[in-house]
Amino acid sequence: MADPQSQTDFSFFQTFLCSAFAACVAELCTIPLDVAKVRLQLQKKAAAADGMGQSRYRGLMGTIATIAREEGLPALWKGVIAGLHRQCIYGGLRIGLYDPVKLYLVGNNFVGDIPLHQKILAALFTGAVAISVANPTDLVKVRLQAEGKLPAGVPRRYSGTLDAYFTIIRQEGLMALWTGIGPNIARNAIINAAELASYDQVKQMILKIPGFLDSIFTHLLAGLGAGFFAVCIGSPVDVVKSRMMGDSTYKNTIDCFVKTLQNEGPFAFYKGFLPNFGRLGSWNAVMFLTLEQAKKLFGL
């Protein structure tokens, strides 16, 4: 008879691989939306954008079109290597740990549907743990995506992903790779809880509706629902996280929050909301759909 512990370890390893693969597929498909989202979040006062009182970036499609026109199509995939690094670590850990943590919270002998609050607690924990490990990849990704906002003629700080890691360590110190860790933990713990717990819950509710099966359509609906809840709940901390990582002038999380609120008002925390939903909604739909199919291949 197989050792239960070794089975659990193997199952975690399989889930980690499936999750990392699914997250990377979703990242490749949706990173142009993420680039647009970051640019909109980093855009501050309109007058500072072009000296004429008009914002440089306007809306999801307008931002994508502006980036493609001014910087070329490859600019829409800036930070993709760091993004894939992030998803391999963060995506694999947050989802791979989710089921084991859920079972730990309710106990191995639990029977029935796991309560929503237990799902939320499990996802908060796994999101915080995963991003604590993956923060350097997130920082480099945001820095590379922010490069395009520099004025024409100003030399770029980094020549590529690996150069960005080494340059940051050399110029700012090793711990600089964990810049923005506070809002990043808050953001990813909250968004992870919104995504995983809501996906679980929405899928569970859909499957109770007559005629609905555990199918691709169900996975797509649940994934879109997860993305919507994630953006509604996590947008303010996402804006603060992007600004702290893309702009080193802020002293800390509170300083960034206060300055943003004072200078731009509360709606600044929902800058890039539509591209953020376009990104997270489509990202979750692709990721969960891919994850469900990958898990079936492993028999999970």
Side-chain angles (χ1 to χ4, degrees):
M1 184 175 179
D3 177 21
Q5 183 61 45
S6 64
Q7 286 184 328
T8 301
D9 292 342
F10 187 53
S11 177
F12 167 75
F13 182 65
Q14 289 177 316
T15 305
F16 178 89
L17 289 179
C18 290
S19 305
F21 172 72
C24 286
V25 170
E27 189 76 6
L28 284 170
C29 292
T30 62
I31 199 165
L33 298 172
D34 193 45
V35 172
K37 178 206 74 172
V38 169
R39 294 289 181 85
L40 284 167
Q41 289 176 339
L42 292 176
Q43 183 168 260
K44 299 178 184 177
K45 292 182 179 178
D50 61 6
M52 298 175 63
Q54 295 183 349
S55 298
R56 182 181 179 188
Y57 303 120
R58 290 186 173 185
L60 174 59
M61 299 311 297
T63 300
I64 290 175
T66 299
I67 294 170
R69 183 177 65 252
E70 295 181 354
E71 304 167 46
L73 282 175
L76 292 170
W77 274 266
K78 272 192 175 179
V80 66
I81 301 301
L84 293 177
H85 291 171
R86 178 186 187 275
Q87 294 305 339
C88 282
I89 300 170
Y90 174 69
L93 283 176
R94 75 180 179 114
I95 301 173
L97 290 170
Y98 179 59
D99 282 337
V101 173
K102 273 196 307 184
L103 293 176
Y104 175 81
L105 290 175
V106 298
N108 291 330
N109 297 322
F110 182 84
V111 178
D113 293 333
I114 296 176
L116 178 59
H117 73 276
Q118 299 284 33
K119 295 175 183 177
I120 292 172
L121 284 175
L124 284 170
F125 177 77
T126 61
V129 170
I131 201 58
S132 295
V133 178
N135 196 82
T137 62
D138 214 7
L139 175 76
V140 169
K141 175 185 168 186
V142 171
R143 290 279 183 96
L144 289 171
Q145 289 176 339
E147 287 280 88
K149 76 183 183 72
L150 297 174
V154 175
R156 298 307 186 242
R157 294 175 292 177
Y158 315 115
S159 61
T161 304
L162 290 179
D163 178 64
Y165 284 116
F166 291 121
T167 300
I168 291 169
I169 292 172
R170 185 174 63 252
Q171 295 181 352
E172 304 173 47
L174 179 63
M175 294 311 296
L177 290 173
W178 276 268
T179 297
I181 185 65
N184 214 12
I185 286 177
R187 182 253 186 195
N188 284 280
I190 291 169
I191 288 181
N192 193 51
E195 286 179 351
L196 297 188
S198 64
Y199 180 81
D200 253 4
Q201 201 71 15
V202 171
K203 180 182 173 184
Q204 182 180 310
M205 291 170 61
I206 291 174
L207 290 176
K208 290 180 179 179
I209 301 173
F212 280 88
L213 302 173
D214 191 5
S215 62
I216 289 176
F217 183 63
T218 297
H219 302 157
L220 287 173
L221 284 179
L224 287 170
F228 179 75
F229 284 115
V231 177
C232 289
I233 295 169
S235 192
V237 286
D238 190 39
V239 169
V240 172
K241 183 268 298 185
S242 291
R243 290 195 170 188
M244 282 193 68
M245 288 183 166
D247 188 343
S248 59
T249 59
Y250 297 112
K251 298 175 183 177
N252 50 48
T253 306
I254 295 175
D255 180 56
C256 181
F257 181 87
V258 170
K259 285 182 177 177
T260 301
L261 183 62
Q262 287 179 339
N263 295 334
E264 302 167 64
F267 289 109
F269 295 108
Y270 284 89
K271 272 193 173 181
F273 181 87
L274 287 179
N276 203 5
F277 173 63
R279 152 74 168 171
L280 272 181
S282 57
W283 192 96
N284 276 280
V286 173
M287 194 280 290
F288 281 114
L289 179 60
T290 306
L291 177 62
E292 296 275 13
Q293 301 310 307
K295 286 171 73 174
K296 283 182 181 179
L297 290 176
F298 277 99
L300 298 174

